Amino acid sequence: KAGVTQTPRYLIKTRGQQVTLSCSPISGHRSVSWYQQTPGQGLQFLFEYFSETQRNKGNFPGRFSGRQFSNSRSEMNVSTLELGDSALYLCASMQSGVGGDTQYFGPGTRLTVL
Amino acid sequence: EDQVTQSPEALRLQEGESSSLNCSYTVSGLRGLFWYRQDPGKGPEFLFTLYSAGEEKEKERLKATLTKKESFLHITAPKPEDSATYLCAVQANQAGTALIFGKGTTLSVSS
């Protein structure tokens, strides 16, 4: 099975711009979560989508939003970029099985805000 | 507040020198504890899931164990290719499926 794919892999933007990141989950997985990874804060949960609905949300400002399509692909949008938004954005595809859930991560999108 | 603390932050070993990484957690009801490996510039790679105290899982040179307050990742006779950052994460009952991560332990194994 193909793994989680994320596009683009690298992005450079300037303050005030907006950006859209894309994630394709593992085939058959219906849940997609997004995380932000920075050297100072580590990995932090942004939100989760399941069957096109946001099922869970972390503690991030409203500038961070997402959506999921009927084929389970997901996009994440960040508006009015700030320097502090520079990070590795990771998408995780989840398989729910007997006894619990396992999340499989993609390679990430490295966002640099200048 | 749900929290995960990993120690040490960094660990340097000689090839063949076994050691353990620690993950301490405080959560409002544990749904699962996860170990991941992350290489520079890549996404985390899933290693293990543990669900209840006393549970153990093994994969090659790695063995993960779980108690009611912490988890250990034991590395037996490590090789240079085991060098990576090892991340511990928990799922808590009140946080749904969101993973709460520790800051990680960066392991360097020299030959």
Side-chain angles (χ1 to χ4, degrees), chain A residues 59-102:
Chain A
N59 188 26
F60 277 82
R63 299 185 298 107
F64 293 83
S65 63
R67 59 178 176 168
Q68 188 180 33
F69 302 95
S70 58
N71 61 358
S72 294
R73 190 177 70 85
S74 177
E75 288 183 345
M76 179 190 132
N77 184 273
V78 187
S79 62
T80 318
L81 284 165
E82 300 178 358
L83 295 179
D85 296 333
S86 294
L88 180 67
Y89 289 90
L90 292 158
C91 164
S93 165
M94 188 171 72
Q95 173 185 45
S96 295
V98 174
D101 309 314
T102 300

Side-chain angles (χ1 to χ4, degrees), chain A residues 5-114:
Chain A
T5 58
Q6 292 187 246
T7 57
R9 293 295 312 280
Y10 303 91
L11 267 178
I12 299 176
K13 294 286 187 179
T14 56
R15 278 181 300 174
Q17 287 186 311
Q18 75 166 12
V19 67
T20 299
L21 313 181
S22 181
C23 171
S24 292
I26 295 169
S27 176
H29 289 193
R30 294 166 61 191
S31 167
V32 173
S33 294
W34 289 89
Y35 293 82
Q36 180 195 65
Q37 186 174 29
T38 59
Q41 299 299 318
L43 270 144
Q44 294 183 289
F45 172 75
L46 282 156
F47 32 65
E48 181 207 1
Y49 285 86
F50 180 83
S51 293
E52 302 179 63
T53 301
Q54 187 178 88
R55 185 160 73 171
N56 198 358
K57 188 177 188 304
N59 188 26
F60 277 82
R63 299 185 298 107
F64 293 83
S65 63
R67 59 178 176 168
Q68 188 180 33
F69 302 95
S70 58
N71 61 358
S72 294
R73 190 177 70 85
S74 177
E75 288 183 345
M76 179 190 132
N77 184 273
V78 187
S79 62
T80 318
L81 284 165
E82 300 178 358
L83 295 179
D85 296 333
S86 294
L88 180 67
Y89 289 90
L90 292 158
C91 164
S93 165
M94 188 171 72
Q95 173 185 45
S96 295
V98 174
D101 309 314
T102 300
Q103 294 187 29
Y104 299 90
F105 285 83
T109 294
R110 172 72 63 185
L111 172 64
T112 302
V113 182
L114 303 176

